[in-house]
Amino acid sequence: MKKPFVSDEKIREIASQYPTPFYLYDEQGIRNTDALVKQAFAWNPGYREYFAVKATPNPYILKIMQDLGNGLDCSSYTELLMAKRLGFSGHDIMFSSNDTPAQDFALAKEMNVLVNFDDIGHIAFFEKRAGSLPETVCCRYNQGGVFTLGKSKEGFQVMDTPGESKFGMTREQIFSSFQILQKKGVKHFGLHAFLASNTLSNDYYPSLARIIFQLAVDLHRQLGVHIAFVNLSGGVGIPYRPEDKENDILAIGAGVKKAYEEILVPAGMKDVAIFTEMGRYMTGPHGCLVTRVLHKKKTYREYLGVDANSCNLMRPAMYGAYHHITVVGKENEPCTHVYDVTGNLCENNDKLAVQRKLPETDVGDLLIIHDTGAHGFSMGYNYNGRLRSAELLLKKDGSVIEIRRAETPEDYFATLRWPK
């Protein structure tokens, strides 16, 4: 059974002050996770976490990351502007984008951020639109094929298929890109790769590290380039289901260290810094979506109609993703009913849970939808004219503040041109 990070009494108190639905984030939980991550990679003097803005793009969350000494991973013009407004600058920011518009590269150059090229063709595009190249540049690698990790009773467990991914360059393109960049005056290089999403395995980062470390050694030996950093990106998952086993970030860090000492150190590359972009791992478990039951319906199934919908949390509709649900005040009651938990969109896939076993639930009950602290609110939209919710922050001292107000119809209409 998953336990919410906030008590029944506290969530009822918050819901009496702020209308549902709303997102709630736990500042202390985020800080605790950050401390563990820092401990896991303390062996690497240059280590830095670049929090993925796309996971939770709220200034208060990003300010916490800044206070903790983390950088930001941005992927768009608007995310760069948000980072700039908060005082992030230069190498505090990693710009990892794809199919990148000219204005994005121009702003990245103006802000002197770390640019991560997704495609060999982006080098000339960057020069033409943004000007000269910076002294430090990163390139994104895609090894292709199928990435496998570990064994199960059925054989190898397939984690993801990089060969079908739109991201990154082949090995040959990485070598060609580094040669081009080297001739154009780039002095320091980074390597970035992302092979699998939301992995529940302590072996993912170490396995990924070995792949990139060996590529780094090959590039250094054959081209004589200085590899300044390796960015392991994201992919470290969280246990969405109660039965899932949580990753051990200390074991993960130790595994990366072992790979580092076996591959990079013997090659004379012990100055390589390790970067990560763990958006989901950093904030995912420390956010929840709170919603209230509006209606109950029984036809061929039993339905709980709540005041949140897929505009608030699209992962279940888009991916079939599982998010655990707690009925506030009924945590210890037997799960005697099977419900589809639905929103109010004119779409049949607008379901936050399908055939979910829950205690008998009544109109007016509060539901806590767990593990929505990353890629929850940020993926919201406005289909059917439904409006996105407020975001709240549970601060270290137990107080709660609103860090984003709920949208209003005026917000929805603000960008429209009306006929005369």
Side-chain angles (χ1 to χ4, degrees), residues 36 46 49 100 134 189 227 244 278 293 306 337:
L36 275 176
E49 159 66 13
T100 309
F189 293 82
I227 307 296
D244 289 341
M278 293 189 284
V293 178
V306 299
H337 286 251

Side-chain angles (χ1 to χ4, degrees), residues 128-329:
K128 184 175 180 180
R129 273 75 177 183
S132 61
L133 292 157
E135 286 192 351
T136 302
V137 168
C138 184
C139 290
R140 182 168 185 168
Y141 174 57
N142 183 332
Q143 72 166 12
V146 176
F147 175 68
T148 58
L149 189 65
K151 286 188 176 182
S152 65
K153 293 179 181 178
E154 294 74 32
F156 281 100
Q157 178 187 5
V158 177
M159 303 301 294
D160 222 325
T161 51
E164 298 177 2
S165 170
K166 69 174 183 174
F167 302 110
M169 308 183 206
T170 66
R171 179 182 173 90
E172 292 75 17
Q173 289 170 339
I174 288 284
F175 270 82
S176 296
S177 295
F178 274 41
Q179 287 175 311
I180 293 169
L181 293 165
Q182 193 178 28
K183 289 177 181 178
K184 292 180 178 294
V186 173
K187 297 179 180 178
H188 309 288
F189 293 82
L191 280 171
H192 175 287
F194 178 87
L195 299 183
S197 180
N198 193 38
T199 61
L200 288 178
S201 169
N202 295 336
D203 295 327
Y204 170 62
Y205 256 8
S207 298
L208 171 63
R210 288 183 180 276
I211 292 169
I212 312 181
F213 291 169
Q214 189 57 60
L215 178 60
V217 170
D218 294 344
L219 287 160
H220 173 66
R221 286 176 175 168
Q222 294 181 40
L223 303 181
V225 295
H226 174 236
I227 307 296
F229 63 87
V230 164
N231 189 329
L232 299 176
S233 66
V236 178
I238 60 174
Y240 285 101
R241 296 176 181 271
E243 64 269 23
D244 289 341
K245 185 176 180 181
E246 185 176 0
N247 280 320
D248 182 345
I249 195 64
L250 299 182
I252 290 171
V256 175
K257 179 183 180 183
K258 187 173 187 292
Y260 191 100
E261 291 174 342
E262 291 177 357
I263 299 172
L264 291 180
V265 173
M269 300 172 66
K270 59 183 179 181
D271 66 330
V272 176
I274 302 299
F275 296 163
T276 56
E277 299 166 3
M278 293 189 284
R280 189 194 313 264
Y281 187 81
M282 296 293 289
T283 59
H286 310 303
C288 62
L289 174 60
V290 180
T291 183
R292 192 181 296 275
V293 178
L294 298 179
H295 302 283
K296 292 179 71 174
K297 177 179 179 178
K298 186 174 183 179
T299 53
Y300 307 102
R301 293 183 175 186
E302 287 194 77
Y303 296 92
L304 297 177
V306 299
D307 56 10
N309 55 53
S310 295
C311 292
N312 305 113
L313 180 64
M314 74 183 300
R315 294 187 74 253
M318 185 175 185
Y319 304 122
Y322 179 97
H323 285 269
H324 197 67
I325 295 176
T326 293
V327 183
V328 174

Side-chain angles (χ1 to χ4, degrees), residues 49-70:
E49 159 66 13
Y50 283 82
F51 177 73
V53 175
K54 61 181 173 286
T56 321
N58 186 288
Y60 277 83
I61 302 299
L62 303 186
K63 183 63 177 174
I64 293 171
M65 297 300 166
Q66 188 177 47
D67 292 344
L68 293 169
N70 298 326

Side-chain angles (χ1 to χ4, degrees), residues 58-115:
N58 186 288
Y60 277 83
I61 302 299
L62 303 186
K63 183 63 177 174
I64 293 171
M65 297 300 166
Q66 188 177 47
D67 292 344
L68 293 169
N70 298 326
L72 297 182
D73 175 72
C74 297
S75 58
S76 71
Y77 184 88
T78 308
E79 289 182 357
L80 285 171
L81 288 179
M82 183 180 290
K84 183 178 181 180
R85 185 164 176 174
L86 286 167
F88 290 88
S89 63
H91 289 192
D92 292 335
I93 301 167
M94 173 76 71
F95 183 59
S96 299
S97 65
N98 70 97
D99 193 21
T100 309
Q103 68 167 1
D104 294 34
F105 273 148
L107 181 57
K109 176 64 187 302
E110 176 190 321
M111 293 174 62
N112 192 34
V113 306
L114 288 169
V115 175

